[in-house]
Amino acid sequence: MVESGHDEDTGEKTIVLKPNGSLSRRQAWLLLGICGLLMGLVAGFCAALGAWLVLPFSGLEWILLAFCLHLSIRQSQEREVITITGDLVRVEKGWGSPLQTYKFQRAWVMLDCIQSPIRGHPSRLTLRLHGKEVELGRFLVESERQVLARELKYLLSLG
Amino acid sequence: MSVATHDDIHAHDHHDHGPAKGFMRWVTTTNHKDIGTLYLITGLIMFFVGGAMALVIRAELFEPGLQYVDPHFFNQMTTLHALIMVFGAVMPAFAGLANWMIPMMIGAPDMALPRMNNWSFWLLPFAFVMLSSTLFMDGGAAAAGWTLYPPLVLQTGNALPFTVFTVHILGMSSIMAAINIIVTVFNMRAPGMTMMKLPLFVWTWVITAFLLIAVMPVFAGAVTMLLTDKYFGTSFFNAAGGGDPVLYQHLFWFFGHPEVYILILPSFGIISSIIPTFSRKPLFGYASMVYATASIGLLSFIVWAHHQYTVGMPLAGELYFTYATMLIAVPTGVKVFNWLATMWKGAMTFETPMLYAIAFVVLFTMGGFTGLMMSISPADLQYHDTYFIVAHFHYVLVPGAVFALFAATYYWLPKWTGHMYDEKLGKLHFWLTTISVNICFFPQHFVGLAGMPRRIPDYAVQFAEFNAMSSVGAFVFGFSQLIFAYVIYKAIKGGEKATSEVWEGAEAHGLEWHLPSPPPYHSWTEAPDQSLISELH
């Protein structure tokens, strides 16, 4: 998903890139809660009958489910923020807060869109300057990457 | 600033890797199609292994008296045949279909947790080698039936801990597969693919996955208690120590009954995919199919003790389980009605997948009806532990689950391989299989009603004719499956090129038909057009 913003006061342009994720964190908690309730009821019923050894297996399984959901949600909460201010292009990557930041001179940065020779394989969109390179929107689908490439091309050419 | 577009691939590009070459491709793969293929091949191999054990059983039962095997080995065969067919053939085959089809059906590039997917498959071969090796252990393999009831199963020799460990490994594999499916379907659907747009196959698998994670810990706990009773001096199931062997039965069937639905719900999804395609109509009553599947899933938790009517249960308990079990016929009836209504006035053609789908509807319904007979607790006292039960569950699981797997293979094989299969051989396989499966299992209703007990290698002479007939049917059925293996092999090696749609009008029934045949290594690198999704259902 590609979301664009523009600050009228500072003239700063921002593009936020996020991968597709059909489950929000809140929905994930709800799903975990429902599964926990179901598994807890079953394990509690068994334990009440004297089969308490079911409890640790249910607990372990619920933890595994929570961990897997966390991993998948975390993946879908990856963000890339491209900010264009004056003669500076800043790319921040991370989950929640920026973990990596790249800065480029707007006048010299090169935008590359590399098509794969293999049919059906995704293209790559990169910004590079002086041997420094950053890939953008690795998690985007092809059509979104093309939209991003066009928009970036336009925004960079304005400088 | 400059903008460049290259056609060449970047030196350190990490997107464009195709499959690795050689054996290690299959060991290290995280691709959903590769793992799906591994599951399906394993399922087929185990189908032949479990089938060979069934033929040992039927050879012994061809005539009264003891012919080829001793009673203890006979019981090892019945136990391993069931465990291998349930956990080794049918469940892995459905997991294979899920791996292959779910990402393609929901517009996702792969499963949500590809490395865990690899692990959940690779646990299986080790589990089956361990299970099969118990045959060669001191005291032989477990011989108490797939239910592993104590105290009988505690008489197993060295094989018991290995059997229990196998169950644990298989359970871990199933749980990881189920969690992967849940996370994939909930978090990786393409934009526009709402839950009520999901293909029925995906819905049935989601519900199956919830059943799996709900009941697998119960089975894991129960078999662990068998182990502690045998080796650590506990008395969970030992009456002398204050335990109760009937508790194991409750635990087992609390897992075992939903397990039956774990084996059959994905079949419902497959049949709900095939019938609309070959009737050239949308599925009748999509929403009611979803609700019926969910109802069957929920009801499966509250009917377990109908497997234990003879154990000694209060009258209120017998009444409750009778009525609750009968309720299952309602959502199942909705499904059968909807399949028939989908076919009604459709422009039907009868390619092999459709033939199997129709046979499924007819024969599974027969199995369902005998199930309804057994739900009536006073009547069940007559049927319990007889060949009538054997006939019932084989009608549900062979023309039910196994026929659905055959149908799915013929339906999606051109999509997987890019080649059409040999239709003549497919139809030959269908007719031989369908006729022989009835010759094998239908007479078992009669001998069962007349009182022939199950899991006994010898029988009274009045059952001889029906048993001989049944054995002939079993051998024809078994050897007919070599045709199935050959058809698959032939389609993999070559044949008429399949189009992306494969079947006329199939594109209207699922996203997978919009991908080329065979699909690219990475399925949906570009999200499917939302207009394609909105046209579904």
Side-chain angles (χ1 to χ4, degrees), chain A residues 20 61 107 111 113-115 120, chain B residues 1-2 4 6 8 189 213 525:
Chain A
N20 174 49
E61 194 186 82
L111 178 68
C113 188
I114 305 160
Q115 301 297 327
Chain B
M1 191 281 301
S2 70
H6 303 287
D8 58 319
R189 298 189 314 276
I213 62 166
T525 51

Side-chain angles (χ1 to χ4, degrees), chain A residues 83-103:
Chain A
T83 313
I84 303 172
T85 328
D87 62 349
L88 188 71
V89 179
R90 193 172 69 240
V91 178
E92 293 165 312
K93 292 184 169 198
W95 290 266
S97 58
L99 295 176
Q100 293 164 305
T101 304
Y102 304 83
K103 288 179 183 166

